[in-house]
Amino acid sequence: MNEERVLALAGLFQATALAQQLANDGRCDETAFEASLGSVFRIDAASVAGVYGNVAGVRLGLRKLISQLDENGRDMAITRMAVTVMRLERSLARHNQLLNDLQQGIVSAQRQVEHFGQNSPQVIKRLAELYVSTLSTLKPRVMVTGNPQQLQQPNVVEKVRSSLLAAVRSAVLWRQIGGRQWQLLLYRRQCSMLARGLLTGATLDNG
């Protein structure tokens, strides 16, 4: 494990945690949501931290990752989602046409960002539609459970799907820099220590 892989994992856990927050409460940590959404568009960032703006962009994800690695603080719904997203990324890698469609869809959404702004309802709706037309056609399907009233709200569902798209983005990044699922089991303690160090640094840097 190294800091870059831990940051990518934090990005994954942050996006799944946001999906869970939205499904339960209809709202989420807006600062974290903005950073996760931004990661979808930062394809050519100079560093892993740059994908999320900076390390502080995944503070929520680092906190969630630490709690998931600590057996007493684990949220199994988030763990299940994260593992499913990792498997979904592997499935996506075997479907070149879908991968191309996804990349083209992100380029198209980028044009909307320039016009409406990244967090606009138009962009979130576009990313949600992109998730439905590409990733949700693959197995395994990512199951999100929560408050049925919230999950009947179209704007909440769109944010959930956008968060899941961001989760897959982080899973792709994790794989690209050498991350493998078994590393989470073998290097749990090291991963937790690195995550704590990164979180402390991000907190100090941002007051």
Side-chain angles (χ1 to χ4, degrees):
M1 292 297 284
N2 57 35
E3 287 190 349
E4 288 195 331
R5 289 178 195 161
V6 171
L7 283 173
L9 268 181
L12 168 57
F13 277 93
Q14 176 162 298
T16 52
L18 290 168
Q20 193 65 59
Q21 286 178 1
L22 287 158
N24 287 331
D25 306 321
R27 58 184 186 276
C28 66
D29 182 320
E30 288 298 331
T31 302
F33 183 74
E34 185 174 347
S36 290
L37 212 59
S39 73
V40 174
F41 299 107
R42 293 194 190 98
I43 304 301
D44 299 318
S47 66
V48 173
V51 171
Y52 306 102
N54 50 37
V55 175
V58 286
R59 274 197 286 189
L60 172 66
L62 287 165
R63 288 196 296 269
K64 291 295 178 183
L65 179 57
I66 291 163
S67 66
Q68 298 307 102
L69 293 167
D70 176 1
E71 292 183 4
N72 296 322
R74 195 175 296 168
D75 182 331
M76 290 311 298
I78 293 174
T79 298
R80 277 193 296 270
M81 259 197 288
V83 170
T84 303
V85 167
M86 285 179 172
R87 291 171 56 205
L88 179 58
E89 181 275 330
R90 288 289 76 211
S91 182
L92 175 64
R94 294 190 291 271
H95 291 78
N96 290 333
Q97 185 56 54
L98 268 185
L99 190 54
N100 186 60
D101 291 346
L102 186 57
Q103 290 168 340
Q104 292 302 313
I106 290 169
V107 170
S108 173
Q110 178 74 63
R111 289 193 286 270
Q112 284 188 301
V113 170
E114 292 161 8
H115 190 70
F116 297 109
Q118 180 187 283
N119 290 355
S120 65
Q122 294 91 334
V123 169
I124 291 169
K125 186 173 192 292
R126 179 73 190 98
L127 292 178
E129 289 169 349
L130 185 58
Y131 180 85
V132 169
S133 64
T134 56
L135 292 162
S136 72
T137 66
L138 297 173
K139 289 184 178 178
R141 298 283 295 275
V142 183
M143 304 303 293
V144 181
T145 57
N147 182 337
Q149 286 184 308
Q150 299 299 344
L151 291 171
Q152 289 170 2
Q153 305 294 323
N155 62 319
V156 172
V157 172
E158 285 167 1
K159 279 191 157 187
V160 167
R161 288 171 175 161
S162 296
S163 297
L164 293 178
L165 183 60
V168 174
R169 161 65 174 129
S170 287
V172 169
L173 179 62
W174 151 258
R175 176 67 60 166
Q176 285 172 337
I177 57 177
R180 300 294 181 267
Q181 203 171 323
W182 55 264
Q183 293 167 354
L184 274 173
L185 299 173
L186 280 186
Y187 302 117
R188 176 188 290 176
R189 189 185 297 272
Q190 185 188 10
C191 185
S192 179
M193 286 175 61
L194 287 167
R196 288 175 195 277
L198 287 162
L199 182 59
T200 299
T203 302
L204 290 171
D205 289 345
N206 287 265

